[in-house]
Amino acid sequence: MSETRYDFRSDNVGGAAPEILEALVTAGDGTTAPYGDDDHTRAMNAGFSRLFERPVQAFPLASGTGSNSVALASLANRYGAIYCHGTSHINVYECGAPEMFTGAKLVALGGRDFKLQAESLEEALSLAGRGNPTRVQPFALNLTQPTDFGTLYRPAEIAALCDVAHRHGLRVHMDGARFANAIAALDCAPAELTWRAGVDVLSFGATKNGAINAEAVVVFDPGLAKEIPFLMKRGGQVLSKARFVSAQLARYVADDRWLERARQANENAGWLARELAALPGVSMVAPVEINMIFVRLPEVAVTALERGPFHFYRLGRDQRFVCRHDQEPEGMEALVDCVRKALAAAPASRASS
Amino acid sequence: MSETRYDFRSDNVGGAAPEILEALVTAGDGTTAPYGDDDHTRAMNAGFSRLFERPVQAFPLASGTGSNSVALASLANRYGAIYCHGTSHINVYECGAPEMFTGAKLVALGGRDFKLQAESLEEALSLAGRGNPTRVQPFALNLTQPTDFGTLYRPAEIAALCDVAHRHGLRVHMDGARFANAIAALDCAPAELTWRAGVDVLSFGATKNGAINAEAVVVFDPGLAKEIPFLMKRGGQVLSKARFVSAQLARYVADDRWLERARQANENAGWLARELAALPGVSMVAPVEINMIFVRLPEVAVTALERGPFHFYRLGRDQRFVCRHDQEPEGMEALVDCVRKALAAAPASRASS
Amino acid sequence: MSETRYDFRSDNVGGAAPEILEALVTAGDGTTAPYGDDDHTRAMNAGFSRLFERPVQAFPLASGTGSNSVALASLANRYGAIYCHGTSHINVYECGAPEMFTGAKLVALGGRDFKLQAESLEEALSLAGRGNPTRVQPFALNLTQPTDFGTLYRPAEIAALCDVAHRHGLRVHMDGARFANAIAALDCAPAELTWRAGVDVLSFGATKNGAINAEAVVVFDPGLAKEIPFLMKRGGQVLSKARFVSAQLARYVADDRWLERARQANENAGWLARELAALPGVSMVAPVEINMIFVRLPEVAVTALERGPFHFYRLGRDQRFVCRHDQEPEGMEALVDCVRKALAAAPASRASS
Amino acid sequence: MSETRYDFRSDNVGGAAPEILEALVTAGDGTTAPYGDDDHTRAMNAGFSRLFERPVQAFPLASGTGSNSVALASLANRYGAIYCHGTSHINVYECGAPEMFTGAKLVALGGRDFKLQAESLEEALSLAGRGNPTRVQPFALNLTQPTDFGTLYRPAEIAALCDVAHRHGLRVHMDGARFANAIAALDCAPAELTWRAGVDVLSFGATKNGAINAEAVVVFDPGLAKEIPFLMKRGGQVLSKARFVSAQLARYVADDRWLERARQANENAGWLARELAALPGVSMVAPVEINMIFVRLPEVAVTALERGPFHFYRLGRDQRFVCRHDQEPEGMEALVDCVRKALAAAPASRASS
């Protein structure tokens, strides 16, 4: 039964892009050294270096939480503070993994559109008690790009935040679980969103955009790379047959299909958001900039959707719909239709929403 | 060039068994819930329950170190001690991951053939200071089966060790990274080597026997299962697309091919060990019971092998050769031949070995 | 020179109350078992049981941060969250010690007068994701009584907060670094402020009210006491000659002098606050309920005080003055006088403050 | 009743030396800054710098376990190994505190007379896998001087061990809980036993030799000192009224009484050991070099002692007697007498011992 459902839960509910799957399958030919000392991993590194227009070091992992935690650990001291937005993935949805890997405290700030602002970061850091042994010492800034609510930092915003961070002695980690969607939406070079703006280490996610449990820690500051193999091993993040992740990532960045998929997913969500926003009683929770829609539908519509052949998530009184690149057009139309009909049948519900 | 080499480094240098790869590929069809709430994971659980002849709960992961660390964390208190053999994988080759995940101290004991003995465990635990707040409190016993040197515990040995452990209030974790090789060599039921002998939680490895980064924590004590999802998430061990691991494992235990592969690998190593042991100046470091050979060859032979088309590991003055199920017969013969010729050409070296 | 200064920095800048010092001195007679297995510690326990009108278990320590951290660790799971006010001592001034001892995440809430409110705690806990493995799991509520800004929870407020906490499966820790000042100000029984209102474990501070590095973890739930000796030892909080702390605490609670001292300190601060508040351009940052004054003086007054024979702390643009029970009356008068004169001499400064 | 017992349990069962107690009492005069920013702490630093014949930085704490843990943490990386003797205090009697403070693994080595040997350390470090990410990385050597069994490293032995350690990139921590007894027994300069031999950081204990919960971390490498205030705070080791510890330590090293007390304690133990060793059926477990005796008495003698007015510890089948500087001579004679009589009355027991 579940196969007939239209699935808007997340972008990790789908399978693999054909060329990625093929790269995975052929990576099994022959024998090779384990733990990342192999040609596929070298090809992945070359690919990332091309993509970012400079030599980088990339480390393959299977888990996004692992990737964030290792990246942050590479920046950490042992009595430190990581500054992040209160709604960031590392703060809310990783069950304390960043804390366990780093030993640090996450300091959660607010900020409009689920984004940090340079001014409030500046103020928070100026009150952080640098050098005072009763206070945890700031060492890292986490930027989630796109945010967990699908909003986007512009390159200039990232640069301004990195500038504040660097002036206060922090280094910058970007959580790019949906990095492809950000690049596709902003139409800028990966370098522009990362190291040119001041990002020191990036969690590059591919799983949500057509890969199979394939993530990378991409290090722009060579000094950070040395400790990462130890931090990965200590965190159970080193893969015995790492080449099966590396091969996916090498293929992923070998051409522009990753961006095409992301662009299509973004466009799908844009269409869906416009249609929903035009209906009476519907309010958007966040601007729709990538493939995620956060919306508050009248309850009668939510109930109708839950009866119909749709998968999606409730977040308190709000709802989340995520579009994949291969989202079925008829599913999107059916969803809008279902909401429209539910609202038409129960106009009073608008007031109660 | 490396393709022409005969590779005896490890059993994780190879690819995937065909039926496992196929299961992985087809797992991508349709959409499904992420993080292990899917039909593949349910099929995996059913498969493990069949295999172990009782209901079990199994959790899919990508890393053996992660699997050991999570399993041990499910047993841990916060000021505890894990008893293990000094040569165990968790003690030597996991860069402190078990300690980070558990907060516990590893207490390393000795023991012949790289195995713990019930008597010495009994003695160690009786001196451990149960209830004394200056002492870490024993809570877990780790058994590596097979050991890192390829030796095997018999079911009666496991039962005796588990009995000591349980009487002292410890629970038992088995590190089964090469569980298939143990079952194949001992020709006993998986239940007999585990819960019937007293094992509480098992790290079931499939990666070294034909799977792609596919491991499972298998819980025999239902009380332990409740915390594991949290411990996994906190350790960055939850996979976004977990079904791609679950599908492999479900397929892995669906028939006897996993045991056939393991049996073949064991036999390959047995043949190779007998051939090498018959050569002059060669001494075995450990009895060869599975697919791993630890041997001390005369240096002249080691040097010859390193020149020839062979991959293997040096361990100080010893050497390790691991056989895969698909080890090339001509490679094995070539290896013996190379050693034989080297020894014949330099007879004096035998004395110096 | 510093001896001639009037010191308003903190209540830990002073010495020991005479009877406490005497108890410490006489505790050295004879020999006794180390690590808390002694008659002084037993007397301390009896004293606390009398004070709290029920059997309690108390553990002597030297550090308030250690006391808070151990108390919280006694409540903790391993993937948990401690709810606290954003301005709480454990969140701001303990350099991550509670996190290190517990492995937990501190979740900081807001709240008027630096206090948590039952409604906002209820809301936060209802959104905390109980049972969701991506979320840290709430297990403890921290109440700082008095707060770090000298405000007080009424017994009914504590009871309401504990009720919310308990309904959501949390236990409650009270940080009572200035517990004496709270009891003196509220004029209620210690039981009423703690276990009768639902507090499970209390950090009872005596150092700031006449003792010498003497603190106690007081456990109302006997089930929690069993683990504390291990958690203390693991945290380096067990004292070799614990009796020298226990003897102080036993004496401390043996009569009412601790409350008289606290009452006097509170009254001193009350007088000083009233005098300052009456001056032009002076605004209070927090209501003055105990012996701490948080105030914003015109900058000209702050500068004048810093020239004069006064010690106090700046907190950004605000100032903190803490009164001891033995605060010199002439020092308090001199302080008011200094501020008054500075304001009179520079009336324009009021506007700019 | 317990007052009439002769107490050989430990050197922390006694009180304070008169001049130390006086220093503590007078430290309460006037007010001073908390947390170690005071004249007493400065005097303590000057005193230690004189004692060690070079500028050092010393940090006051109340707990020996805390001191060891902070000192080791100042040396630690985050995936490291601390090498120590299997019988060392940090490995056996601190309930995992060094592990919690450092995140490191303790690697326990053997060695005659409870001491590490340079050769076996060299061998262990050469096999430690420097640079291999599957292995924890050695960063610290712990020397316990005297050892927990009362044996002593000579300066040349320390120098040889430090030399090995430094060549392998480790730094050296000395646990000097009974440092006074070592200096008194070896009759050498404190500098000679520490930094001149290569020790980087010392846990200097005074509690067991006449102080009240007064310990210091003494840092010889100025680069290490910077992090210690943070590591102390995070470990709950910063004392609110630190001056009461600093004042004791400043007084402790102000003249030679600390050494006289230690010398007397050592001599007391020497006399007692000689007397006991001369009795039939008595065997020494360790050479008696300071104030601790580890001995195996015939069981009949142990039973007799336990009936008589004596306090001491059993360690499995062995016994420990510790002498204080103010050990009552009649108690020592009574102890020898009691053993002698028990052996005379039951000569057969000798064989069964």
Side-chain angles (χ1 to χ4, degrees), chain A:
Chain A
M1 284 294 103
S2 71
E3 295 88 316
T4 68
R5 290 212 154 201
Y6 297 121
D7 201 333
F8 294 90
R9 283 178 294 191
S10 187
D11 27 19
N12 60 6
V13 303
E19 80 277 13
I20 304 289
L21 191 56
E22 191 193 328
L24 185 155
V25 167
T26 57
D29 298 342
T31 68
T32 190
Y35 307 122
D37 178 21
D38 61 85
D39 288 344
H40 296 286
T41 301
R42 281 181 280 276
M44 174 193 73
N45 261 291
F48 277 119
S49 296
R50 259 194 321 272
L51 182 67
F52 286 102
E53 307 174 44
R54 57 167 288 171
V56 302
Q57 272 192 272
F59 299 88
L61 325 84
S63 149
T65 295
S67 172
N68 284 336
S69 298
V70 165
L72 289 166
S74 78
L75 305 178
N77 62 27
R78 289 171 298 158
Y79 38 82
I82 298 167
Y83 281 66
C84 60
H85 196 280
T87 63
S88 64
H89 203 264
I90 63 163
N91 193 43
V92 182
Y93 291 116
E94 300 191 343
C95 199
E99 285 94 336
M100 183 172 87
F101 280 65
T102 62
K105 184 189 190 77
L106 269 55
V107 176
L109 305 180
R112 201 162 32 84
D113 286 347
F114 313 97
K115 297 193 287 181
L116 294 168
Q117 270 100 40
E119 302 72 35
S120 53
L121 179 65
E122 175 69 50
E123 189 194 358
L125 288 173
S126 70
L127 295 172
R130 174 69 71 192
N132 175 349
T134 68
R135 310 288 300 275
V136 286
Q137 298 293 297
F139 70 89
L141 171 67
N142 166 266
L143 299 176
T144 314
Q145 169 77 327
T147 71
D148 274 70
F149 283 81
T151 53
L152 287 169
Y153 291 95
R154 268 64 196 166
E157 292 175 298
I158 296 174
L161 284 158
C162 290
D163 181 54
V164 172
H166 290 154
R167 273 193 289 102
H168 284 272
L170 287 73
R171 289 205 268 194
V172 182
H173 166 245
M174 178 174 280
D175 174 358
R178 291 184 176 89
F179 191 72
N181 302 89
I183 295 292
L186 294 170
D187 201 22
C188 65
E192 206 182 333
L193 267 197
T194 55
W195 64 273
R196 281 206 190 109
V199 172
D200 297 291
V201 59
L202 167 70
S203 291
F204 183 100
T207 304
K208 293 178 194 291
N209 188 36
I212 298 179
N213 301 320
E215 311 278 322
V217 174
V218 179
V219 179
F220 301 112
D221 175 344
L224 297 174
K226 221 183 77 182
E227 293 212 283
I228 287 183
F230 297 96
L231 297 169
M232 282 179 65
K233 186 67 190 173
R234 177 170 151 90
Q237 300 296 324
V238 174
L239 296 169
S240 180
K241 296 181 172 171
R243 60 176 159 156
F244 287 99
V245 168
S246 299
Q248 291 182 69
L249 293 170
R251 182 63 192 83
Y252 186 88
V253 297
D255 59 23
D256 279 349
R257 295 195 210 178
W258 66 294
L259 287 175
E260 288 159 19
R261 283 195 300 276
R263 198 168 292 122
Q264 185 60 53
N266 291 354
E267 283 175 14
N268 289 345
W271 180 87
L272 184 57
R274 283 189 301 276
E275 294 291 319
L276 290 176
L279 297 178
V282 172
S283 61
M284 305 310 290
V285 174
V288 175
E289 304 198 86
I290 57 161
N291 65 329
M292 299 205 292
I293 300 170
F294 292 83
V295 65
R296 183 170 296 186
L297 300 176
E299 184 58 31
V300 65
V302 181
T303 310
L305 287 171
E306 288 180 337
R307 268 196 309 267
F310 302 103
H311 273 314
F312 62 98
Y313 286 136
R314 280 181 184 256
L315 294 169
R317 294 182 54 200
D318 304 327
Q319 301 84 43
R320 186 181 90 160
F321 299 89
V322 182
C323 290
R324 305 186 312 284
H325 70 99
D326 57 352
Q327 202 69 46
E328 308 85 343
E330 69 274 21
M332 295 166 61
E333 285 157 19
L335 192 151
V336 174
D337 206 47
C338 175
V339 173
R340 185 181 294 120
K341 282 180 182 153
L343 296 180
S349 73
R350 268 170 274 165
S352 72
S353 72

Side-chain angles (χ1 to χ4, degrees), chain C residues 162-181:
Chain C
C162 290
D163 181 54
V164 172
H166 290 154
R167 273 193 288 102
H168 284 273
L170 286 74
R171 288 206 267 195
V172 181
H173 167 246
M174 178 173 280
D175 174 357
R178 290 184 176 89
F179 191 71
N181 301 90

Side-chain angles (χ1 to χ4, degrees), chain B residues 73 78-79 103 133 227 233-234, chain C residues 73 78-79 103 133 227 233-234:
Chain B
R78 290 171 298 157
Y79 39 84
E227 293 212 283
K233 186 67 190 172
R234 178 169 150 90
Chain C
R78 291 171 297 158
Y79 39 83
E227 293 212 283
K233 186 68 191 172
R234 178 169 150 90

Side-chain angles (χ1 to χ4, degrees), chain D residues 1-143:
Chain D
M1 286 293 101
S2 70
E3 296 88 314
T4 68
R5 291 211 154 201
Y6 297 121
D7 201 332
F8 293 90
R9 283 177 294 190
S10 186
D11 27 19
N12 60 6
V13 302
E19 80 277 12
I20 304 289
L21 190 56
E22 193 193 326
L24 184 155
V25 168
T26 56
D29 298 343
T31 68
T32 190
Y35 306 122
D37 178 21
D38 62 83
D39 288 344
H40 297 285
T41 301
R42 282 181 279 275
M44 174 193 73
N45 263 290
F48 276 119
S49 296
R50 259 193 322 271
L51 182 67
F52 286 102
E53 307 173 43
R54 59 167 284 173
V56 302
Q57 272 192 272
F59 298 88
L61 327 84
S63 149
T65 294
S67 171
N68 283 336
S69 298
V70 165
L72 289 164
S74 78
L75 306 177
N77 62 28
R78 290 170 299 158
Y79 39 83
I82 299 168
Y83 280 66
C84 60
H85 196 281
T87 63
S88 64
H89 202 264
I90 64 164
N91 193 43
V92 182
Y93 291 116
E94 300 192 343
C95 199
E99 284 94 338
M100 183 172 86
F101 280 66
T102 62
K105 185 190 189 77
L106 268 55
V107 176
L109 305 181
R112 199 162 34 82
D113 287 346
F114 313 98
K115 296 193 288 182
L116 295 167
Q117 269 102 39
E119 303 73 36
S120 52
L121 179 65
E122 175 70 50
E123 189 193 358
L125 289 174
S126 70
L127 296 172
R130 175 69 71 191
N132 175 347
T134 68
R135 309 289 299 275
V136 284
Q137 297 294 296
F139 71 88
L141 170 67
N142 165 266
L143 299 176

